[in-house]
């Protein structure tokens, strides 16, 4: 069995100098980036007053607070807490539903296959970006100053924040829809509205439903956070109990939130699989 001839390394170096002799900038790029990242990390530690002593002391304090949380005990406030939890779930459900209904028509205007002209599509997309760029907690603070304290401000905060997110997600789902169904409706003499109603919407509706279910689960946690700043719900109760150092009640409220999120996650998972199953059968 004959052996392959040995490659001429000198000829290869002459033919491909960039492979054998990388420029200094290319060789030093990765080490310099790692060094810069490490320098930023060290600077951040000093700038943020990081202290191992404070960390150890804080962990000790956290352990003491954890011990004081055991056992969880609502006291005589269980009916109040259940009502507050229901209010939080209502805030999440209503805010997410309003956002989804308002975002769908706007998402159609932001989709490339619905509005081909970038002149009309660009301002819609930038509008959605500007809405989405403001955090949900900021929207809660804004609406609290507009409509006052209470769950209504929480509903508006979630609705506005999710409106921007849904607009982007829905428009991307619409752009990825199969064109054959739309072309079939067009070939049969359907109008542009018929193409959207019977060609696009049935395709993207399961995707949209799955996204809305996920956001309902996520917004249950978000409604708790915005409740702390005065938007109602169980977050307000949690903030009050932390303020008066009622740690057993705090742990009970945290357990209530965890159980509620777990139940909603289980329900949304079942619904998503049911939607996927119906889509597969169709």
């Amino acid at each position: 069995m004959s052996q392959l001839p040995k490659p001429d390394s000198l000829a290869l170096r002459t033919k491909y100098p960039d492979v054998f002799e990388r420029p200094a900038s290319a060789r030093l790029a990765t080490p310099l980036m790692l060094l810069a990242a490490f320098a930023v990390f060290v600077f951040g530690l000093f700038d943020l007053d990081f202290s191992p002593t404070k960390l150890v002391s804080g962990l000790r304090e956290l352990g003491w607070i954890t011990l004081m949380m055991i056992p969880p005990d609502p006291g005589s406030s269980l009916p109040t807490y259940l009502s507050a939890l229901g209010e939080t779930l209502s805030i999440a459900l209503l805010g997410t539903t309003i956002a989804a209904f308002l975002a769908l028509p706007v998402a159609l205007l932001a989709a490339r296959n619905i509005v081909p002209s970038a002149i009309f599509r660009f301002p819609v997309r930038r509008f959605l970006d500007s809405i989405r760029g403001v955090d949900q907690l900021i929207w809660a603070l804004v609406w609290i100053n507009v409509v006052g304290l209470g769950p209504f401000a929480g509903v508006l905060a979630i609705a506005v924040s999710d409106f921007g997110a849904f607009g982007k997600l829905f428009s991307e789902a619409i752009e990825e829809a199969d064109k054959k169904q739309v072309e079939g409706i067009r070939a049969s003499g359907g109008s542009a509205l018929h193409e959207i109603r019977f060609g696009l919407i049935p395709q993207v509706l399961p995707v949209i439903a799955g996204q809305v279910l996920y956001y309902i689960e996520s917004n249950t946690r978000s409604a708790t956070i915005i409740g702390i700043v005065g938007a109602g719900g169980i977050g307000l109760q949690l903030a009050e109990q932390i303020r008066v150092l009622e740690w057993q009640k705090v742990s009970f409220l945290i357990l209530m939130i965890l159980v509620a999120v777990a139940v909603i996650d289980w329900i949304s998972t079942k619904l998503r699989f049911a939607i996927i199953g119906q889509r597969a059968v169709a």
Side-chain angles (χ1 to χ4, degrees):
M1 184 175 180
S2 60
Q3 295 182 350
L4 295 174
K6 295 182 178 180
D8 188 350
S9 58
L10 181 60
L12 291 174
R13 286 178 178 271
T14 304
K15 189 174 182 180
Y16 306 104
D18 294 338
V19 176
F20 291 92
E21 297 180 3
R22 298 172 61 197
S25 59
R27 294 197 306 269
L28 296 177
T30 301
L32 287 176
M33 290 177 61
L34 293 175
L35 183 61
F38 180 74
V40 171
F41 175 74
V42 173
F43 174 77
L45 292 179
F46 282 102
D47 187 59
L48 298 177
D49 195 22
F50 176 80
S51 171
T53 305
K54 290 182 179 179
L55 180 61
V56 172
S57 176
L59 290 175
R60 189 183 302 113
E61 185 69 20
L62 179 62
W64 176 247
I65 291 174
T66 303
L67 289 176
M68 289 191 293
M69 287 182 172
I70 300 172
D73 182 13
S76 60
S77 304
L78 181 58
T80 303
Y81 295 161
L82 291 175
S83 175
L85 180 61
E87 192 173 82
T88 296
L89 297 177
S90 300
I91 292 171
L93 180 61
L94 187 58
T96 308
T97 305
I98 292 173
F101 276 110
L102 295 179
L104 183 56
V106 179
L108 292 172
L109 298 177
R112 192 183 305 273
N113 52 345
I114 301 296
V115 181
S117 175
I119 298 176
F120 299 102
R121 193 176 65 251
F122 180 82
V124 178
R125 284 183 173 270
R126 298 294 76 80
F127 171 69
L128 293 173
D129 291 342
S130 63
I131 296 293
R132 191 174 64 255
V134 180
D135 188 75
Q136 203 169 73
L137 187 60
I138 305 300
W139 281 118
L141 294 172
V142 170
W143 285 113
I144 285 172
N145 285 276
V146 173
V147 300
L149 297 171
F152 184 45
V155 171
L156 293 175
I158 289 178
V160 173
S161 177
D162 286 1
F163 170 77
F166 281 152
K168 176 181 172 57
L169 294 174
F170 293 176
S171 64
E172 291 177 350
I174 292 169
E175 289 178 345
E176 294 174 2
D178 188 5
K179 298 179 181 179
K180 293 181 180 179
Q181 297 187 27
V182 178
E183 292 173 351
I185 294 173
R186 185 183 305 141
S188 62
S191 65
L193 291 177
H194 290 150
E195 294 174 11
I196 296 173
R197 168 61 182 85
F198 300 102
L200 281 176
I201 298 300
Q203 293 187 65
V204 301
L205 198 57
V207 179
I208 289 175
Q211 292 170 345
V212 171
L213 289 173
Y214 169 76
Y215 266 79
I216 290 174
E217 172 200 336
S218 176
N219 284 333
T220 304
R221 297 186 294 268
S222 301
T224 302
I225 299 302
I226 64 177
I228 293 176
V229 299
I234 201 169
L236 184 60
Q237 297 293 332
L238 183 62
E240 289 294 330
Q241 299 309 317
I242 292 175
R243 191 174 296 113
V244 298
L245 305 181
E246 289 284 351
W247 297 115
Q248 288 181 313
K249 292 184 178 181
V250 168
S251 62
F252 186 83
L253 289 168
I254 292 173
L255 286 176
M256 287 181 66
I257 296 168
L258 292 177
V259 170
V261 171
V263 170
I264 292 173
D265 176 57
W266 180 80
I267 294 174
S268 64
T269 301
K270 293 294 183 181
L271 290 174
R272 279 198 295 267
F273 278 113
I275 292 171
I276 293 172
Q278 289 180 358
R279 186 182 183 185
V281 171

